[in-house]
Amino acid sequence: MTVNDRETILQRLKAAASHPVPPRPLLPPLPEMALDADRLREVFVQRLTEQGGEVHPVANRAALLETLGRILADEQVVRAMAAADKVVAPLDLVSWGRQVGVEIVTPEAYPDRDGYARAVFDDVQAGITGADFAVAESGTLVLVHDTRQARLISLAPVLHIAVVPVDRIVPAYETAVTAIYADGRRPSQVTFITGPSMTADIQATPFKGMHGPQKVIVLLVG
Amino acid sequence: MKVTTAHFKATARVELGNARTQRFLQILPLRLSARRNAAYASFADPAAAHAYGQAIRGEGVARLPELLETFEANARANGARVFWAADSQAANAYIVDLARQKGVRYVTKGKSMITEELGLNEALAANGIIPWETDLGEFIAQLLERPPFHIVGPAINIPVEEIRDIFIARGVMATPTTDPVTLGRAARRFLRDKFRDLQMGITGVNIAVAETGTVINVENEGNIRFNKSSPRTLVCVMSLEKVVPGMADALHMLRVLCRSATGQAAGAYLSFDSGPQRQGEKDGPEELHIVILDNGRSAMVRDAHTREVLRCIRCGACLNACPVYGKVGGYPYGWAYSGPMGQVLTPALRGLSDTGDLIRACTLCHRCKTICPAGIDHPATLLYYRYKDVQMDPQFNGRGVSPLERLTYRAYGLIGSHPGLWRLLGRAARRVANRHRRNGAIQRIARWTDGWFSSRDLPLLPRDTFHDRWRQRQAATAGPDKYASPDAAPRRRKG
Ligand code: SF4
């Protein structure tokens, strides 16, 4: 086993003469902090669209399912994986899928890790998740990963569909992060998603869907 | 990674003659600068946001040992394993050992300057473990064995024909194409297999949060998320200066970083990891190892100038602002860090023995300093290095100056401090210079001055200096000079 150089490094750092911590200048709050709920919603939709995301407002559960069915058909999805999070689970998409003729699977269907990986990488054409927050400042979806929100569902399939209740829209990152990390909670991973995966690494030619989803579609409920 | 900092001039000359490089340099830095400026405008007060970020970085560096201890304690409490590496050997040995223990045949990597600094790919390969870079640009640069051209687009300058050929040769795709998107898709497919069966992933760290023991990564492609989500073992390598006090500081730095690097309000993916997967989670690493790397940084802290270089968040904004980078591109800088960022960082980490050209490839225009969200004073730091170099400072491996240069400046000092000698030699020098007049100007004196004259002429030098003429004029007007003393005539006020 290699030696841990902890003490040496810390000693060297501590031996250096201390110097004053620079004062923090005044920082005016983000403009988004002053917006009311309607404006926040508008700003969120506008920013996410600018980032290449697609937003479909849906009024209620019935409209949501109808739109979802249409999107899955348009995108030629025969099988999709749905997360078990608090937004998506109550929709019982598995039974719904049986009725409308799309196969919806959940991670629970794959007890072993490798089987789950194969399914999410190779067998499904879409991942359906909820979102813990939607942040207006940059059109960002915030996903807290835990037992009900597996990480790869919003990443490996070429299409990511996120179901976002409007009351999850918050003005700035701080609002989301304060709530997520409150009371010493430390989720193993939190992801901020702003639009589809992209790159411009070859000849500065931009394209979407480099490694992650090529499309991000938000169903904005309410 | 091969270090070629000593060949700065030679590589720069090649790149200056490379039409493709020049074409890219005419577009890329300007475009990125413009985007950065536009993105900054979304702050309520861009100048305040800029200054606030600089203060966060200053605080991070000022409170380093304390913040690192807090970070470590919290990361451990989250279930991460923390390893402190004094140098690249220690870090590489730890990671190679881990890979061997886990019996992996290959690892994937997210884009990270720090593992390039470590030479980790070489260390893994030497031990029979294949490292796959997974950022598209890094993947191409790795296959072609090229250093990064730009921190944001490591292979952005590489012609599609070259990418096609190497992709075919290395089995990334079977059907030749020069379409950038098709090439990208081929890399996607190739690396996707690696991700699906991945046992061990390695990433860098953009920000480490002391308060929560969280490591944060920023990206656009999703490869880092795969690296952090798919394998059973994850290694995050961070240089020790990455730490900030709290989550609120991290969020502000993320805003500043994304805007400075690519002109985005946020990268497509920001991922915040606090420990490994928890009981019952479907994916994510069973083990999260965080390697805290020193590699010369604790020595940098001892020096008031180099300490401030540790503020750098690797946004690359200074590259886009720099007129030198804008002509020569990333290759001449010869290591993991290019542009002004590399010019201040590389000499501090590697000494001055082979970075002498790096610290002099600067016009002192201050554009990097103005744009830097971390608050680094690059020009002052470069002047400081030049001074240390000339002084042969042992800590920096300063090289001193040639006997001829030393003699020249001694003589110059002597002459400059004796006015009579100065006037005498000045007169002689003017006469000699004027002998080379051609077409009413001096265009050349001797071969060794050709460099100076290559882009400018010197007007003919008058026989007398200003001082000479002043004295002559005073002698001629003899008597009390009305300008000689302030009380001789009341000053007239304007307006
Ligand atoms: S030196 Fe400043 S501008 Fe340059 S990469 Fe580092 S943080 Fe960015």
Side-chain angles (χ1 to χ4, degrees), chain B residues 311-318 341 368 371-374 376 378:
Chain B
R311 289 166 169 242
C312 176
I313 57 171
R314 315 274 188 272
C315 68
C318 55
M341 154 188 76
C368 47
I371 202 100
C372 177
I376 294 173
H378 313 71

Side-chain angles (χ1 to χ4, degrees), chain B residues 112 162 260 411 417 422 450 482:
Chain B
S112 74
E162 228 174 299
S260 297
S417 50
W422 176 265
D450 277 357
K482 63 175 180 167

Side-chain angles (χ1 to χ4, degrees), chain B residues 234-350:
Chain B
L234 168 62
V235 183
C236 297
V237 190
M238 61 178 260
S239 47
L240 53 76
E241 74 273 17
K242 294 285 177 184
V243 67
V244 299
M247 202 46 107
D249 304 316
L251 295 177
H252 184 75
M253 287 322 292
L254 285 169
R255 290 187 182 110
V256 169
L257 170 62
C258 295
R259 284 170 175 80
S260 297
T262 49
Q264 293 168 288
Y269 303 121
L270 315 182
S271 47
F272 302 62
D273 286 56
S274 311
Q277 67 164 193
R278 305 294 192 265
Q279 179 79 44
E281 288 181 13
K282 216 53 202 175
D283 41 26
E286 288 156 8
E287 287 176 23
L288 166 62
H289 297 254
I290 299 174
V291 177
I292 301 180
L293 178 74
D294 182 344
N295 213 21
R297 289 167 174 82
S298 59
M300 285 172 73
V301 171
R302 283 206 299 267
D303 180 302
H305 277 89
T306 51
R307 167 174 34 208
E308 298 310 316
V309 173
L310 291 175
R311 289 166 169 242
C312 176
I313 57 171
R314 315 274 188 272
C315 68
C318 55
L319 277 60
N320 306 326
C322 178
V324 177
Y325 177 90
K327 287 310 285 180
V328 303
Y331 293 161
Y333 300 87
W335 200 38
Y337 309 105
S338 61
M341 154 188 76
Q343 288 172 281
V344 293
L345 200 54
T346 307
L349 293 174
R350 307 192 59 91

Side-chain angles (χ1 to χ4, degrees), chain A residues 147-163:
Chain A
T147 51
R148 304 181 66 172
Q149 185 67 270
R151 305 177 184 200
L152 290 167
I153 301 179
S154 55
L155 178 63
V158 71
L159 168 64
H160 175 205
I161 300 172
V163 182

Side-chain angles (χ1 to χ4, degrees), chain A residues 5-6 12 110 116 121-122 137 151-152 154 156 174 186 188 190 192 194 197-199 201 203 211, chain B residues 72 84 86 134 137 158 192 196 220-221 225 228 231 249 255 268 270 272 274 278 281-283 298:
Chain A
D5 301 308
R6 179 180 195 275
R12 275 193 241 146
Y110 307 89
Y116 158 74
F121 271 94
D122 299 336
E137 74 165 284
R151 305 177 184 200
L152 290 167
S154 55
E174 280 78 357
R186 300 285 179 268
S188 65
V190 175
F192 285 18
T194 308
S197 150
M198 58 185 175
T199 189
D201 270 356
Q203 300 280 297
H211 289 291
Chain B
E72 182 194 30
W84 302 66
T134 56
I158 309 252
R192 204 170 161 84
R196 188 192 41 226
N220 276 318
E221 294 187 0
R225 280 183 73 199
K228 288 166 104 178
D249 304 316
R255 290 187 182 110
L270 315 182
F272 302 62
S274 311
R278 305 294 192 265
E281 288 181 13
K282 216 53 202 175
D283 41 26
S298 59

